[in-house]
Amino acid sequence: MAVEEEGLRVFQSVKIKIGEAKNIPPYPGPNKMRDCYCTVNLDQEEVFRTKTIEKSLCPFYGEDFYCEIPRSFRHLSFYIFDRDVFRRDSSIGKVAVKKEDLQKYHGKDHWFPLQPVCADSEVQGKVHLELRLSELITDSGGLCHKLATRVLECQDLPIVNGQCDPYAAVSLLGPSRSEAKKTKVKRKNNNPQFDEIFFFEVTKPLSFTKRQFDVEEDDVDKLALKVDLWNASNLKFGDEFLGEVRVPLKVLGQAGVHDAWYFLQPRDNGHKSVKADELGSLRLNIVYTEDHVFPTEHYNPLRDLLLQSAHVQPVSASAAHILGEVCREKQEAAVPLVRLFLHYGKIVPFLSAIAHAEISRTQDPNTIFRGNSLTSKCIDETMKLAGMHYLRVTLKPIIDEICSDHKPCEIDPVKLKESENLDTNRENLRQYVDRIFSVITSSGVSCPTVMCDIFFSLRESAASRFQVDADVRYTAVSSFIFLRFFAPAILSPNLFHLRPHHPDPCTSRTLTLISKTIQTLGSLAKSKSANFKESYMAAFYDYFNEQKYADAVKNFLDLISSSARWDQKSIETPIMLKEGFMIKRAQGRNRFGLKNFKKRWFRLTNHEFTYHKTKGEGALCSIPIENILAVERLEEESFKMKNMFQVIQPERALYIQANNCVEARDWIDILTKVSQCNRKRLSTFHPSAFLNGHWLCCKLSADTAPGCTPCTGGLPANIQLDVDGDRETERIYSLYSTYMSKLVKMQEACGSKSVYDGPEQEEYSTFVIDDPQETYKTLRLVISAVQTLEQQHTQYKRDKFRKTKYGSQEHPIGDQSFQCYIRQQSESSTYSI
């Protein structure tokens, strides 16, 4: 989800690898082990939870999480919890990384010490205050200063125990006073509108004696206003602290007026700091990305240059290939390039061109596509994007079964448990391998067309280059479909969205053994040439040393790399796309039915959207996909509840509350995509609910009244390829900009090769330059396009700096990232526009 900023869209995303924790303090009891899980939070809103690792003080998670961040945030936080089945889970410690500090840890493994979780430090949200200092003449003729404090509103307060009932306590602090006044409590509202004014006497007339005031408070600079936000609680433990703001009255200045937004801050209660590693530490790898995307016309020169890459001769002189040459990791270049070419329907000619060039440089058919080249990374990424649905159809049912059955499959005699039988384990493993092999080799007709087109090109190039090797047309394709697609998906199903979490160690071992065997079968290796490092694997592979397996692989590879076309028949078997618990409002199917909220298990397939009382039970309600007319967010004001959306049907709307903002966005996206091609889709909708006889948004009284707001649309019907071409071009621009020094060095290398045809200088030897003149021409155009975009970004930052007010709703006081930005701007040279 993008945030609009005056013609520019801002996208935020985060990719996190949660590695492991270590040195967790032992449980204070005879059994010192703990059952720990880790959560990922945007401020205090949980958006992801790992599985629980039992009986460990050094739990290994090995889980990956990626999400588009749909709102502003101050901290990316990680909490370690100790699970307790009898009472509420207890927090052990947390890691909180400020948004402006995320770049420090970008893409690197880092051990973070866990900090204590204290109610006084858990804050989020902001408050809008208005202060006005006035002079009043008293009855005796003296001057008296009064401070009028107006608490207008708060935003983004946390939900505490399911709701938020906030109020503000306002105090004037000075050397000898502390007066406190309170607003009214706003029930069930984490964005409360208070709009209450409080008056404080700042200075007293001279007639007051010092007996009453130890210090004469006629100096406003000695005073400060404190605003505490609290959640009113009915529990015996008292109200919960939500955050505070301290405003020194010297901010009033000569005008005597101050109006600003403030970020709430934690309270300092004088807690002694925790020693490093006292609570343990957590290993994380965080990649935070913020893309500032201009309107499409800004990207035309660079985008056109990139999309011409397939037709540049040689392809190594193209803009896309050059990107792969200058990036530190080929994967960096592959991800945005593949998405851009897929979006514009030009992925097959581009991959065919770079693959043909790589095959031409390969000397040994046995090493074809074995390196981490731009070609192999781009094809990997294409398979992940275009083939995710294919993987679900093929592998997910049996992977789910393996993960739930926990059959023993260990065939290493050294690792065998005393209670296990080696022959039984081998048979269990053989059955799993046979079943997975069978579903893969019979799935050729389901392979996505774009993958088939790429495999046909690989097959033809390899067969032409190595005409004496009859099997190269198979190995060129199997090196991708088996080695880089099916085998990794079996090994780590969570990375391919086949499972929500990393498998447990026993299941992970089973999947490893299956993956190794499938990979070897797919490579058409015989038992003598399989070259397993482990003798027990070589012995197990003898089960599959039959010609029927090699024939099945060849038939499958022939089918998916054929130039012939077949009609893709719609798959009759329902495919599960997403499921999970959410809260739904009863639809009121009968006249007097209660329209209350209940927790239900929701399930989405390519055929229908259903909800159930609990997982595994029969459906209480089924909505065919063709009956979904629109899927839109529901305004919070409807039910005073966050993260709600509506699934609009011909006669009614189903109102649903997701568990967090990321999950709500995911459900809306996938429901919208699967229903995008429905013929009766709506063009307008009601953003609020129909309550008490009228629509809350437009006040119309007919429940059948047409919508008052345009539907959000434009999403592609293909649920795998939701790509924003401008955003991908912006990412590619950012990579070129990051590696500008390498682009310049590559230019120098072109000059060196053109003028001096002797031994290549060592500093230029890392670049592939087949045609120095053509490569130089492209580099000149790339650098020019990048510099133009750089100027536009710089101009935007200058304009934004001039227009932005510190203390505004967009940049509240206490916004550390904005303070850093202001400091950078003030330290930079004077702008000339």
Side-chain angles (χ1 to χ4, degrees):
M1 182 181 295
V3 178
E4 295 283 348
E5 287 188 3
E6 296 182 11
L8 179 140
R9 294 175 297 147
V10 181
F11 294 87
Q12 303 175 99
S13 63
V14 67
K15 182 179 178 182
I16 302 162
K17 186 171 184 64
I18 304 170
E20 60 190 306
K22 66 179 181 182
N23 302 328
I24 301 292
Y27 188 78
N31 179 13
K32 298 184 180 301
M33 295 293 104
R34 293 182 183 266
D35 300 338
C36 296
Y37 62 88
C38 178
T39 68
V40 180
N41 296 57
L42 293 175
D43 296 319
Q44 292 183 56
E45 182 181 12
E46 181 182 320
V47 295
F48 178 73
R49 179 180 295 198
T50 68
K51 64 179 179 179
T52 302
I53 305 298
E54 298 180 345
K55 299 177 182 177
S56 175
L57 298 179
C58 296
F60 176 81
Y61 298 106
E63 297 209 29
D64 294 78
F65 173 65
Y66 171 86
C67 78
E68 296 282 338
I69 300 175
R71 63 169 177 83
S72 59
F73 69 101
R74 292 166 65 187
H75 292 87
L76 183 65
S77 302
F78 305 83
Y79 291 77
I80 298 289
F81 285 92
D82 185 14
R83 188 185 65 186
D84 192 319
V85 294
F86 299 109
R87 57 186 177 86
R88 193 174 172 185
D89 296 352
S90 57
S91 54
I92 295 171
K94 71 172 182 179
V95 171
V97 185
K98 293 178 181 177
K99 180 181 176 180
E100 60 268 23
D101 291 339
L102 286 170
Q103 287 300 325
K104 294 180 185 177
Y105 311 106
H106 187 84
K108 301 173 185 174
D109 276 13
H110 190 85
W111 282 99
F112 293 88
L114 291 172
Q115 300 298 323
V117 177
C118 168
D120 290 338
S121 66
E122 301 293 292
V123 303
Q124 71 177 58
K126 52 193 176 184
V127 60
H128 187 190
L129 302 174
E130 184 183 290
L131 281 62
R132 188 178 299 273
L133 192 64
S134 305
E135 279 189 351
L136 300 175
I137 300 176
T138 64
D139 294 340
S140 60
L143 280 179
C144 174
H145 291 90
K146 281 202 172 185
L147 176 70
T149 302
R150 186 181 178 194
V151 183
L152 289 102
E153 60 180 309
C154 291
Q155 285 187 354
D156 303 324
L157 297 179
I159 305 296
V160 182
N161 297 324
Q163 66 184 57
C164 187
D165 299 327
Y167 68 89
V170 186
S171 307
L172 184 63
L173 304 179
S176 64
R177 67 165 74 187
S178 179
E179 306 170 56
K181 301 176 182 182
K182 296 180 181 179
T183 67
K184 295 175 183 176
V185 176
K186 298 293 182 180
R187 297 288 175 186
K188 296 184 179 179
N189 194 342
N190 68 331
N191 296 306
Q193 301 276 337
F194 293 112
D195 201 5
E196 294 190 38
I197 301 176
F198 302 98
F199 294 94
F200 296 93
E201 289 191 356
V202 176
T203 57
K204 300 289 184 178
L206 294 176
S207 57
F208 282 81
T209 65
K210 294 230 174 167
R211 188 182 303 169
Q212 291 169 293
F213 293 93
D214 295 333
V215 178
E216 188 68 38
E217 294 183 6
D218 53 4
D219 185 359
V220 173
D221 287 355
K222 294 179 182 177
L223 302 178
L225 185 81
K226 186 173 78 144
V227 180
D228 292 326
L229 268 296
W230 296 85
N231 180 56
S233 172
N234 295 322
L235 302 176
K236 61 182 179 181
F237 304 111
D239 298 347
E240 290 100 351
F241 176 75
L242 300 180
E244 72 172 25
V245 168
R246 290 175 183 256
V247 185
L249 294 199
K250 60 185 176 183
V251 301
L252 293 166
Q254 294 295 322
V257 179
H258 179 66
D259 183 344
W261 283 83
Y262 283 84
F263 268 133
L264 294 175
Q265 302 295 333
R267 179 169 55 184
D268 183 8
N269 276 355
H271 292 293
K272 56 183 181 180
S273 60
V274 177
K275 295 178 183 176
D277 292 340
E278 192 171 293
L279 295 175
S281 51
L282 181 64
R283 180 166 60 87
L284 300 167
N285 188 311
I286 304 170
V287 176
Y288 171 73
T289 306
E290 192 172 289
D291 299 319
H292 293 76
V293 182
F294 288 108
T296 190
E297 59 270 15
H298 290 71
Y299 299 104
N300 286 339
L302 182 58
R303 180 172 47 238
D304 292 346
L305 202 57
L306 289 161
L307 294 176
Q308 291 165 11
S309 293
H311 309 293
V312 173
Q313 292 293 334
V315 72
S316 60
S318 69
H321 196 280
I322 286 170
L323 182 67
E325 289 299 294
V326 297
C327 282
R328 185 182 59 184
E329 302 285 344
K330 304 293 185 188
Q331 183 75 7
E332 279 185 298
V335 172
L337 283 174
V338 164
R339 294 175 70 87
L340 181 72
F341 281 98
L342 270 170
H343 181 66
Y344 288 100
K346 298 191 175 184
I347 190 66
V348 175
F350 169 63
L351 290 181
S352 298
I354 61 173
H356 183 77
E358 182 171 331
I359 290 170
S360 300
R361 289 192 292 267
T362 304
Q363 302 302 316
D364 184 351
N366 295 315
T367 62
I368 196 166
F369 298 127
R370 293 299 183 189
N372 287 322
S373 62
L374 181 65
T375 306
S376 60
K377 289 298 182 184
C378 282
I379 296 178
D380 286 354
E381 191 62 27
T382 304
M383 291 191 300
K384 264 191 173 182
L385 282 169
M388 200 60 70
H389 183 67
Y390 176 39
L391 275 181
R392 278 183 168 272
V393 175
T394 312
L395 292 182
K396 184 168 173 44
I398 191 168
I399 295 288
D400 286 342
E401 183 184 323
I402 293 168
C403 291
S404 59
D405 285 357
H406 300 290
K407 284 185 180 178
C409 294
E410 182 55 71
I411 58 172
D412 182 353
V414 177
K415 296 181 179 179
L416 207 66
K417 296 178 183 176
E418 290 184 10
S419 59
E420 293 178 354
N421 180 278
L422 184 59
D423 291 336
T424 303
N425 288 11
R426 277 180 181 156
E427 180 59 20
N428 290 340
L429 185 62
R430 188 192 65 78
Q431 288 182 11
Y432 279 146
V433 171
D434 252 338
R435 287 174 60 193
I436 287 183
F437 180 81
S438 177
V439 297
I440 289 174
T441 52
S442 61
S443 70
V445 73
S446 302
C447 186
T449 304
V450 68
M451 289 172 61
C452 294
D453 290 343
I454 293 165
F455 295 149
F456 172 68
S457 176
L458 296 180
R459 171 192 179 119
E460 293 300 296
S461 291
S464 174
R465 173 76 172 87
F466 301 105
Q467 297 179 14
V468 295
D469 190 329
D471 280 343
V472 74
R473 68 183 192 275
Y474 295 118
T475 54
V477 177
S478 69
S479 64
F480 285 104
I481 193 71
F482 280 101
L483 183 66
R484 296 174 177 269
F485 187 62
F486 283 122
I490 296 166
L491 183 65
S492 303
N494 55 306
L495 297 184
F496 289 79
H497 307 294
L498 299 179
R499 296 288 296 175
H501 297 296
H502 186 73
D504 62 78
C506 181
T507 305
S508 184
R509 173 64 175 164
T510 297
L511 294 174
T512 300
L513 296 172
I514 295 170
S515 179
K516 280 186 175 183
T517 313
I518 291 294
Q519 180 178 317
T520 308
L521 279 167
S523 67
L524 298 169
K526 306 292 189 297
S527 60
K528 291 181 180 179
S529 60
N531 293 327
F532 282 109
K533 295 179 183 177
E534 310 93 343
S535 58
Y536 61 86
M537 282 301 298
F540 176 70
Y541 190 70
D542 283 338
Y543 281 125
F544 307 97
N545 191 19
E546 297 182 34
Q547 189 59 36
K548 67 175 184 179
Y549 290 101
D551 291 343
V553 170
K554 287 183 178 181
N555 289 337
F556 169 68
L557 295 174
D558 277 332
L559 182 58
I560 65 172
S561 61
S562 169
S563 61
R565 291 288 179 269
W566 57 85
D567 291 329
Q568 291 275 4
K569 294 181 179 178
S570 60
I571 302 163
E572 293 300 322
T573 307
I575 300 152
M576 205 281 291
L577 300 173
K578 188 172 177 63
E579 60 183 346
F581 276 113
M582 291 190 289
I583 307 292
K584 68 101 188 171
R585 182 177 186 255
Q587 299 180 79
R589 293 177 178 275
N590 55 60
R591 186 173 180 183
F592 301 104
L594 292 174
K595 295 186 179 181
N596 53 354
F597 288 87
K598 290 187 177 179
K599 188 176 183 180
R600 292 289 182 256
W601 179 263
F602 284 82
R603 194 169 186 270
L604 175 66
T605 72
N606 57 327
H607 290 183
E608 61 183 354
F609 181 49
T610 59
Y611 62 77
H612 314 247
K613 191 168 185 179
T614 188
K615 185 178 181 180
E617 290 193 4
L620 298 174
C621 175
S622 172
I623 304 172
I625 295 299
E626 58 267 24
N627 282 1
I628 298 177
L629 306 184
V631 185
E632 299 287 350
R633 293 188 177 275
L634 188 70
E635 290 181 350
E636 289 179 27
E637 288 303 311
S638 296
F639 300 107
K640 307 293 186 186
M641 295 166 67
K642 293 175 73 70
N643 305 320
M644 288 201 73
F645 63 94
Q646 51 184 319
V647 179
I648 304 171
Q649 307 163 68
E651 296 180 359
R652 62 175 63 86
L654 175 60
Y655 299 130
I656 303 171
Q657 183 187 33
N659 296 316
N660 56 63
C661 62
V662 170
E663 192 173 302
R665 180 188 56 78
D666 288 346
W667 274 106
I668 293 169
D669 281 356
I670 196 165
L671 280 163
T672 300
K673 289 168 191 171
V674 297
S675 62
Q676 189 72 35
C677 293
N678 290 349
R679 288 175 295 173
K680 296 182 180 179
R681 277 189 64 85
L682 297 176
S683 57
T684 59
F685 78 106
H686 293 282
S688 289
F690 185 82
L691 292 174
N692 302 321
H694 68 274
W695 293 100
L696 298 181
C697 41
C698 57
K699 309 304 180 187
L700 293 176
S701 57
D703 61 352
T704 56
C708 57
T709 302
C711 286
T712 55
L715 288 167
N718 185 324
I719 63 171
Q720 283 76 42
L721 306 180
D722 182 14
V723 176
D724 184 321
D726 293 337
R727 184 180 181 186
E728 300 309 325
T729 314
E730 168 65 26
R731 286 181 170 178
I732 292 169
Y733 148 74
S734 296
L735 287 171
Y736 278 133
S737 182
T738 300
Y739 295 107
M740 181 58 76
S741 61
K742 281 195 173 183
L743 288 172
V744 173
K745 188 164 281 190
M746 199 171 181
Q747 270 190 323
E748 295 172 1
C750 289
S752 172
K753 290 177 75 73
S754 298
V755 176
Y756 178 67
D757 201 21
E760 188 171 26
Q761 295 183 38
E762 187 176 345
E763 63 177 318
Y764 302 142
S765 62
T766 56
F767 301 122
V768 173
I769 302 174
D770 296 318
D771 186 323
Q773 284 85 5
E774 285 299 316
T775 306
Y776 187 88
K777 286 180 188 175
T778 305
L779 279 163
R780 190 162 45 81
L781 293 170
V782 166
I783 291 172
S784 173
V786 170
Q787 287 175 339
T788 301
L789 278 168
E790 192 100 79
Q791 290 168 2
Q792 290 165 344
H793 275 280
T794 303
Q795 184 66 49
Y796 167 76
K797 289 177 182 177
R798 290 172 181 169
D799 293 343
K800 184 179 178 182
F801 176 64
R802 287 199 176 106
K803 293 175 184 176
T804 303
K805 178 185 174 185
Y806 190 43
S808 65
Q809 186 174 359
E810 295 76 23
H811 298 290
I813 294 171
D815 182 349
Q816 298 299 321
S817 61
F818 187 67
Q819 285 179 306
C820 291
Y821 176 71
I822 288 178
R823 189 162 52 250
Q824 290 167 6
Q825 297 298 330
S826 62
E827 290 172 357
S828 63
S829 58
T830 305
Y831 296 128
S832 56
I833 299 177

